[in-house]
Amino acid sequence: MKSFFNVEDIGDLKKALAEAKQVKSTPFAWKNLGENKTIMLVFFNSSLRTRLSSQKAALNLGMNPIVLNIGQDSWKLETSMGVVMDGDKSEHIKEAIPVMTSYCDIIGIRAFAGLTDREYDYNETILRQFIEYGGKPVISLESATVHPCQAFADLITIDEYKKKDRPKVVMTWAPHPKALPQAVPNSFAQWMNAADVDFVITHPEGYELDPRFAGNARIEYDQMKALEGADFVYAKNWSCPGTTNPGDYGKILSKDMGWTVDERHMAVTDNAYFMHCLPVRRNMIVSDAVIDAPSSLVIPEAANRVVSAQVVMKRMLEDL
């Protein structure tokens, strides 16, 4: 595996899930793979679960992790080409990338969407430069359009807790005070479309995900109707993807608190489990009663971030 961005990169999902079970039950069985190997984890943006789970996964495999916070531990990086660097950016990414990759065997990148230039974001401009100039395997630790380690962990969690062979999984938009990227919902949709689940997306009009990620998912604008009979409810906010109106890209079109997942919403499900990637805005995305209920999987889901990251790193080490 040379890069990990999309569900196609993991290959057969049944094999990946079986491997995840092995990794989870015997996490230190492959420590020899990472001996004398280094992974660099580069963060352009804040992180809690991604940072800690990636470091833990690397250590489980015997690797040495190096964490770099761009603009805090390093110079601020210019990421655009052809610019006159007379501002606050001291180093260009074209030189920084080969320097960074010369110090490691695998590199993970976290670089959020700017939400101002859809073309720049959806072309994955920053991650693509790491592939072009770095020459080392690249893991998306959440990029402008995808968060595959999170989506893989979500699938592992659903596979562990499902009560039927083909559960109904509903991803519902929920309100948020800030404009958020579409990376998490994009990847969740992509992975659920590839999995053996009955997948439904519900959101207000104007929040349609890019078709390359929404795929064949059923779209239902009536949230309560979408939630009927659900086995898993995945709540997440995202700003306007600009799919139908590029001028609205990154905007907040709604703050309708009627979309907040509460006991009323969960009552129409089939005793569904609640899921969220965290961090979560309580009583905006989800009510206290729902996230604190026994049916909330947010902590097991977060714990599985180590598992998903470790499977990916293990495969990359095996291919070195």
Side-chain angles (χ1 to χ4, degrees):
M1 186 188 296
K2 296 299 182 185
S3 63
F4 183 63
F5 297 163
N6 300 307
V7 68
E8 295 85 4
D9 297 325
I10 205 69
D12 185 286
L13 283 183
K14 289 184 178 179
K15 290 182 179 178
L17 287 170
E19 190 171 350
K21 288 180 181 178
Q22 286 183 311
V23 165
K24 190 167 185 175
S25 62
T26 56
F28 307 112
W30 297 272
K31 283 185 73 73
N32 62 305
L33 276 178
E35 187 178 4
N36 299 324
K37 297 290 192 300
T38 299
I39 184 168
M40 184 173 289
L41 306 171
V42 181
F43 291 86
F44 287 81
N45 303 97
S46 300
S47 174
L48 189 151
R49 278 147 296 279
T50 298
R51 181 187 304 267
L52 298 178
S53 63
S54 298
Q55 287 181 265
K56 175 61 175 169
L59 292 168
N60 287 353
L61 290 165
M63 279 195 287
N64 299 306
I66 298 175
V67 178
L68 181 67
N69 300 297
I70 299 298
Q72 298 177 41
D73 304 329
S74 74
W75 303 110
K76 291 184 179 180
L77 295 183
E78 176 58 63
T79 60
S80 298
M81 297 298 174
V83 298
V84 176
M85 291 177 59
D86 59 354
D88 66 341
K89 308 289 179 61
S90 302
E91 186 162 6
H92 201 283
I93 198 169
K94 194 169 184 180
E95 289 80 59
I97 289 172
V99 169
M100 286 188 273
T101 55
S102 72
Y103 303 148
C104 66
D105 302 281
I106 298 171
I107 192 163
I109 311 298
R110 186 173 179 91
F112 291 174
L115 296 179
T116 56
D117 185 336
R118 190 181 196 280
E119 183 178 4
Y120 183 90
D121 289 343
Y122 271 71
N123 283 337
E124 289 289 6
T125 305
I126 292 178
L127 254 70
R128 296 298 171 191
Q129 289 181 88
F130 275 89
I131 292 175
E132 182 177 357
Y133 305 128
K136 296 290 173 67
V138 176
I139 302 172
S140 169
L141 301 178
E142 186 172 356
S143 61
T145 66
V146 291
H147 196 353
C149 290
Q150 179 64 54
F152 187 16
D154 296 334
L155 180 59
I156 292 168
T157 307
I158 289 170
D159 189 60
E160 288 177 335
Y161 284 87
K162 67 182 182 182
K163 298 173 183 176
K164 60 183 71 166
D165 289 339
R166 193 168 190 270
K168 180 178 179 180
V169 179
V170 179
M171 179 171 70
T172 178
W173 178 92
H176 196 282
K178 295 173 60 179
L180 299 184
Q182 301 94 43
V184 169
N186 280 346
S187 277
F188 188 77
Q190 187 183 53
W191 284 68
M192 290 303 108
N193 280 320
D196 188 18
V197 301
D198 176 14
F199 183 49
V200 181
I201 304 174
T202 183
H203 53 70
E205 292 191 28
Y207 282 95
E208 292 80 8
L209 297 176
D210 189 295
R212 78 184 87 167
F213 300 110
N216 296 321
R218 285 189 288 135
I219 310 300
E220 175 55 65
Y221 295 104
D222 184 328
Q223 186 190 28
M224 295 300 286
K225 184 177 179 181
L227 292 171
E228 289 177 0
D231 299 293
F232 295 88
V233 174
Y234 195 98
K236 185 69 181 78
N237 174 267
W238 62 92
S239 61
C240 177
T243 303
T244 55
N245 185 0
D248 285 338
Y249 177 63
K251 292 183 179 179
I252 297 175
L253 304 181
S254 174
K255 289 185 180 179
D256 185 355
M257 294 292 286
W259 284 77
T260 300
V261 178
D262 58 20
E263 291 172 295
R264 177 177 64 92
H265 293 86
M266 298 300 286
V268 303
T269 71
D270 188 9
N271 296 311
Y273 290 107
F274 175 80
M275 300 179 69
H276 189 277
C277 62
L278 301 181
V280 66
R281 298 275 183 145
R282 283 175 174 255
N283 302 308
M284 282 209 74
I285 298 288
V286 58
S287 68
D288 288 335
V290 171
I291 196 170
D292 291 333
S295 55
S296 173
L297 297 181
V298 296
I299 303 305
E301 186 182 356
N304 278 332
R305 289 293 308 277
V306 176
V307 182
S308 64
Q310 190 167 336
V311 171
V312 172
M313 293 176 192
K314 172 179 172 289
R315 290 188 175 192
M316 286 186 168
L317 287 169
E318 289 169 340
D319 288 342
L320 286 179

